[in-house]
Amino acid sequence: MADGKAIGRSVPRQDAVDKVTGAAQFVDDIQFGPTLLHAKILRSPHPHARIVAIDTAAAMAVPGVRAIVTGKDCPQYLGLYLADRTVYAVDRVRFVGEPVAGVAADSAAAATEAIGKIVVAYEPLPGIFDPVAGAGNKDVLLHENLGTYRCAPFIYPVPGTNIANRFRLRKGDTDKGFAAAAAVVENTYTVPHIQHSQLEPHAAAANFDRAGKLTLWSSSQSPNAVRKLIATAFGLPMTKLRVITPYVGGGFGGKAGLTCEALVVPLALRLPGHHVKLTLTREEVFRGTFVRQGLVARLKTGAGGDGRLAAMEAELFWDGGAYAEYGVNIARSGGYCSSGPYEIPNIKTDSCCVYTNHPVGGPMRGFGMPEIHWGIEQQMDMLAEKLGLDPLAFRRLNALRDGSPAAFGGPMSGATLVDTIDAVAARCGWGGPKPPASGARKARGRGLACMFKAPSMPPDAQSSAVLKLNEDGTVHILTTAMEIGQGSLTALAQIAAEELGVPVADVVVTLPDTDYTPYEWQTVASRISYSAGNAVLAAARDAKAQLLAVAAQVLAVPATELAIEDGRIFPRTDPARALAVSAIAMGCLLPGGAIGGPVVGRGAFVPAGITGLDRETGQGERPAPFWTYGTQVADVEVDLRTGAITVLKVTAAYEVGKVINPALAIGQVQGGIVQGLGAALYERLALAEGKYLNSDFVDYKIPTATDTPQMDIVLLETSPQADGPFGVKGIAEPTMVPTAPAIANAVYDAIGVRIRDLPLSAEKVLAALKSKQAGEKFVRRAP
């Protein structure tokens, strides 16, 4: 508008923007001082094009510009599971927003000016914008050298195609299963790309010192993975590469692996002694970092007259985007979990991660499980309706139980879905009368959805921890587990304090610094309390054994007869004879000489018994260490005039083995429900021929506080994990999985309309409602 105002939204004045920029500059100056340089990235405007030429002469002439790099300067391939991408585009670009060149300058303004003066000649190429079509398209190949890329041994690219990974699951005989079925439903479901929408944008800074050591500051969930990938790509020994990661303001998978960190490395290598920092704008976060993959799921499910599931077939086409270096593992996880949390004797699944000219698909909270359960849980409701069964009773009948054969063949252990179904049913009064709608033009509905999820990780995902006591008996824990808002540092401190017998207030967990903190695979997969927790528990036990050995000599009591509580060591039979932990934390001097020494505990953990899956059939014994089960019931109201959905209440139950910190666990469930609600009702990265239509929060909508429903949450501890610290399992990611299908099933219950493509926007609901009403009128008028 001419007066600089927008309806319902204020436009920031330039002086306010300058103040924010100035504040950020002040913080940078404090941290890095006068050696700081600012990086900006030139990104592709094309979804697919050949790079004919790049001219940087005018950009280098901008005052304050120190260095410019392009893909020719760093052509090495990177990738966690599939090495299919370079730091900057080398010969062609494959998505809008792909980095083409990087500039380091004395000021952000100079870097921005230089970016505008880099001239790139492009030759546009045909694009692929549909994963189903892309899977069969052999004329337009986005990665002709796919067969030469390095990949993990459980990833199966299909050279000569756009399929970056194909996972097959084969069990029983689906033809016979469907032939015997009394009811069959077959549908196609679509899930769009969505953004992680973290509070903190991605940022990284790098310094290459005069001694030849590279230090990288990163807002990453994966400090050790960042170190390994960059060390490999740039030929650096790990002793010459240090990764420091402070608190990360939200991750949700979008900061896993390598995102913007590698962009500053070639600039820093050219400018020894300087700190080169890159902070992405929100638009760059949308365009240039991981998004959740899109999915087209073709599902066919059948059940017998007795209500038992008989067969399932699934074709899953994951929109992996231009590079699938992380997304290929999502296709694998979605494949072996494609049955959902149910026992199905006959299964045939093909799960393919397909290259397209869309943004790069990567991990997001749930790692493929929200996407596949979107269709699975609607299929369950439709089958139950066809068979005349209550949808809750139908799920309970078919739920996996301890010892049930899983889709991948092995027996399930710790299968607690029934417990969560029963808990939710009791809590929400399932089967009772629904409350009336709030108005005459509104309809009330209730729906449920179930889920399961395992940590999707390699069989040898390692964790380690070091625990050291200080002179005053306080404790430092060194770990490279990340704090991304989920409360992991608190949980790890509680685990150590409980085992060591000291107040939790005396335990501090350090932030990652790969020069000093021991190895941690990644902070992903809802595995930190389990895996890093086990490493911390082992370190605490090691330290405890050292304390007890010294105390046994001081107190002249066998170590097996001693206890530690509240920082005091004492004989169980005589608690008054107590030693303070601080008195022997550094050892002890006795008349005969010194004993013990500074107490340092060491712990490491790798899950035992994790097996691979057969390449042709997907069959195996145990592809993951544990499974978390949950059920949600959504109560909704639909406005019949507008199609708008209001989620009134969500009742949720999860079986988590052991709750380490109730407040943190409840917070994870609440956050997951709200994030799931966003994916259900609002979120969709709108793309037209690979170009973004909503790459900021003006047009990309996420839930606000006013959208938050009432929540009733039950945490169950009915099946402690045998190898989990104190029985713990993961909880963070599973909380988002069933929300969207529970809402979809509730909408159907309210108005008889079923929508199979996310999100459930008011426009879609209203259009479907009008179509239904028109059909009913036609039927009533028919002779």
Side-chain angles (χ1 to χ4, degrees):
M1 299 178 68
D3 60 358
K5 296 179 180 179
I7 297 174
R9 185 180 298 274
S10 63
V11 177
R13 289 162 41 194
Q14 186 58 45
D15 59 347
V17 173
D18 291 341
K19 286 179 181 178
V20 172
T21 305
Q25 177 72 55
F26 178 71
V27 172
D28 287 341
D29 287 345
I30 291 176
Q31 183 172 4
F32 298 120
T35 63
L36 177 68
L37 299 176
H38 298 266
K40 293 292 181 181
I41 307 301
L42 177 67
R43 298 178 181 276
S44 167
H46 299 286
H48 196 199
R50 184 171 289 107
I51 298 174
V52 178
I54 301 178
D55 185 351
T56 62
M60 276 302 303
V62 173
V65 170
R66 300 295 189 97
I68 297 176
V69 295
T70 68
K72 300 295 184 183
D73 300 306
C74 42
Q76 306 88 344
Y77 282 88
L78 299 164
L80 192 65
Y81 295 105
L82 176 69
D84 65 352
R85 67 186 303 184
T86 54
V87 178
Y88 293 92
V90 176
D91 54 356
R92 60 172 160 159
V93 292
R94 295 177 172 88
F95 71 100
V96 173
E98 180 164 7
V100 175
V103 173
D106 293 339
S107 68
T112 301
E113 182 183 351
I115 286 296
K117 293 189 175 183
I118 297 174
V119 179
V120 183
Y122 295 98
E123 178 189 327
L125 298 170
I128 292 176
F129 307 107
D130 173 14
V132 178
N137 191 330
K138 295 186 178 181
D139 295 325
V140 179
L141 297 181
L142 301 191
H143 291 265
E144 294 92 338
N145 298 324
L146 178 58
T148 68
Y149 295 160
R150 300 187 314 276
C151 65
F154 48 83
I155 300 300
Y156 308 120
V158 183
T161 74
N162 290 302
I163 300 174
N165 184 32
R166 171 181 284 156
F167 180 87
R168 292 185 175 94
L169 186 67
R170 302 290 188 270
K171 178 186 175 186
D173 188 328
T174 55
D175 289 339
K176 289 183 179 179
F178 284 120
V184 176
V185 292
E186 188 170 3
N187 294 287
T188 298
Y189 301 86
T190 61
V191 178
H193 299 87
I194 65 175
Q195 245 297 333
H196 301 77
S197 302
Q198 309 99 330
L199 179 64
E200 177 197 47
H202 297 241
N207 169 255
F208 188 56
D209 66 24
R210 303 293 181 181
K213 183 163 186 173
L214 180 70
T215 300
L216 186 65
W217 290 262
S218 164
S219 61
S220 171
Q221 297 175 227
S222 314
N224 286 111
V226 168
R227 183 178 67 166
K228 180 180 179 180
L229 291 168
I230 289 179
T232 301
F234 292 94
L236 296 169
M238 290 190 185
T239 54
K240 293 290 187 180
L241 177 55
R242 177 186 181 189
V243 179
I244 300 171
T245 307
Y247 290 110
V248 172
F252 311 118
K255 295 176 183 175
L258 197 63
T259 54
C260 68
E261 293 81 10
L263 297 173
V264 295
V265 171
L267 291 166
L269 293 176
R270 284 203 175 182
L271 300 162
H274 286 279
H275 293 80
V276 181
K277 182 178 180 182
L278 171 67
T279 301
L280 301 189
T281 64
R282 183 61 64 180
E283 186 175 14
E284 285 182 302
V285 172
F286 269 81
R287 296 181 175 220
T289 67
F290 288 139
V291 298
R292 190 174 82 174
Q293 292 184 337
L295 173 66
V296 177
R298 297 171 176 169
L299 304 182
K300 180 180 179 182
T301 319
D306 60 356
R308 294 195 176 274
L309 291 166
M312 184 210 78
E313 290 183 352
E315 289 183 291
L316 307 177
F317 298 91
W318 301 87
D319 190 333
Y323 302 97
E325 55 102 353
Y326 211 124
V328 287
N329 199 31
I330 298 170
R332 178 179 185 267
S333 298
Y336 70 72
C337 295
S338 57
S339 66
Y342 307 108
E343 183 176 345
I344 306 177
N346 305 292
I347 301 173
K348 178 183 177 183
T349 297
D350 288 284
S351 182
C352 297
C353 181
V354 183
Y355 286 122
T356 66
N357 293 113
H358 284 152
V360 178
M364 185 175 174
R365 191 175 196 168
F367 207 76
M369 297 304 102
E371 297 93 296
I372 64 169
H373 282 78
W374 167 244
I376 291 168
E377 288 302 301
Q378 293 197 69
Q379 294 281 100
M380 293 301 112
D381 258 37
M382 284 185 268
L383 275 174
E385 184 178 34
K386 273 197 168 187
L387 294 168
L389 298 174
D390 175 81
L392 185 145
F394 179 68
R395 287 171 170 84
R396 197 179 191 285
L397 175 66
N398 289 286
L400 286 166
R401 291 167 166 82
D402 269 356
S404 295
F408 50 80
M412 292 297 290
S413 62
T416 55
L417 181 61
V418 169
D419 296 339
T420 69
I421 292 174
D422 291 346
V424 160
R427 202 66 167 251
C428 75
W430 183 270
K434 288 186 297 186
S438 64
R441 302 297 302 274
K442 294 185 178 181
R444 183 92 176 237
R446 169 174 283 182
L448 86 154
C450 299
M451 60 72 60
F452 73 161
K453 186 190 181 300
S456 182
M457 61 191 199
D460 60 345
Q462 309 97 338
S463 294
S464 57
V466 171
L467 183 152
K468 64 186 185 75
L469 268 71
N470 302 311
E471 293 93 322
D472 62 355
T474 57
V475 178
H476 270 105
I477 297 173
L478 279 67
T479 173
T480 309
M482 272 309 306
E483 177 57 67
I484 56 176
Q486 83 281 42
S488 62
L489 302 191
T490 301
L492 295 178
Q494 287 183 261
I495 290 169
E498 182 75 16
E499 180 61 27
L500 202 54
V502 300
V504 69
D506 289 349
V507 181
V508 172
V509 185
T510 61
L511 293 171
D513 179 336
T514 58
D515 266 11
Y516 303 104
T517 53
Y519 183 86
E520 175 59 54
W521 176 61
Q522 294 188 82
T523 300
V524 296
S526 300
R527 57 178 284 282
I528 289 302
S529 292
Y530 164 76
S531 191
N534 264 317
V536 167
L537 183 63
R541 286 173 175 166
D542 185 13
K544 183 177 182 179
Q546 296 173 50
L547 287 171
L548 292 176
V550 173
Q553 295 185 59
V554 175
L555 297 171
V557 175
T560 55
E561 298 178 13
L562 295 174
I564 309 179
E565 291 181 10
D566 200 27
R568 299 165 59 255
I569 307 174
F570 54 86
R572 289 188 176 88
T573 57
D574 188 5
R577 292 183 60 210
L579 277 174
V581 167
S582 59
I584 58 172
M586 297 294 115
C588 188
L589 182 61
L590 297 179
I595 60 172
V599 174
V600 179
R602 176 192 176 278
F605 178 74
V606 180
I610 307 302
T611 64
L613 299 173
D614 183 81
R615 178 169 185 165
E616 297 303 320
T617 66
Q619 297 298 290
E621 285 296 310
R622 189 170 177 248
F626 65 82
W627 302 80
T628 300
Y629 292 81
T631 301
Q632 289 185 16
V633 170
D635 288 288
V636 309
E637 194 168 72
V638 181
D639 190 318
L640 301 178
R641 296 164 298 179
T642 66
I645 300 168
T646 301
V647 180
L648 303 170
K649 182 179 179 181
V650 174
T651 307
Y654 286 89
E655 199 288 308
V656 296
K658 178 65 177 178
V659 180
I660 297 294
N661 186 303
L664 290 175
I666 291 292
Q668 285 299 305
V669 182
Q670 292 170 334
I673 288 171
V674 172
Q675 208 163 12
L677 183 149
L681 301 184
Y682 309 122
E683 296 187 53
R684 170 179 171 261
L685 195 58
L687 297 161
E689 298 270 300
K691 296 186 177 181
Y692 304 82
L693 303 180
N694 59 340
S695 56
D696 56 43
F697 288 139
V698 173
D699 299 307
Y700 184 93
K701 302 303 181 185
I702 60 175
T704 66
T706 59
D707 298 304
T708 303
Q710 179 186 351
M711 299 182 221
D712 186 7
I713 296 166
V714 183
L715 297 177
L716 303 174
E717 298 177 316
T718 54
S719 180
Q721 179 66 18
D723 64 345
F726 304 106
V728 75
K729 301 174 185 175
I731 180 63
E733 292 185 84
T735 60
M736 181 180 175
V737 173
T739 309
I743 293 171
N745 289 334
V747 169
Y748 181 81
D749 181 56
I751 60 175
V753 164
R754 190 162 291 285
I755 295 174
R756 299 176 181 85
D757 57 316
L758 282 170
L760 299 167
S761 66
E763 293 85 356
K764 286 181 191 173
V765 173
L766 187 60
L769 191 58
K770 288 181 177 179
S771 177
K772 174 178 178 288
Q773 291 167 345
E776 289 174 349
K777 289 178 182 177
F778 178 79
V779 170
R780 284 198 296 269
R781 291 172 181 170

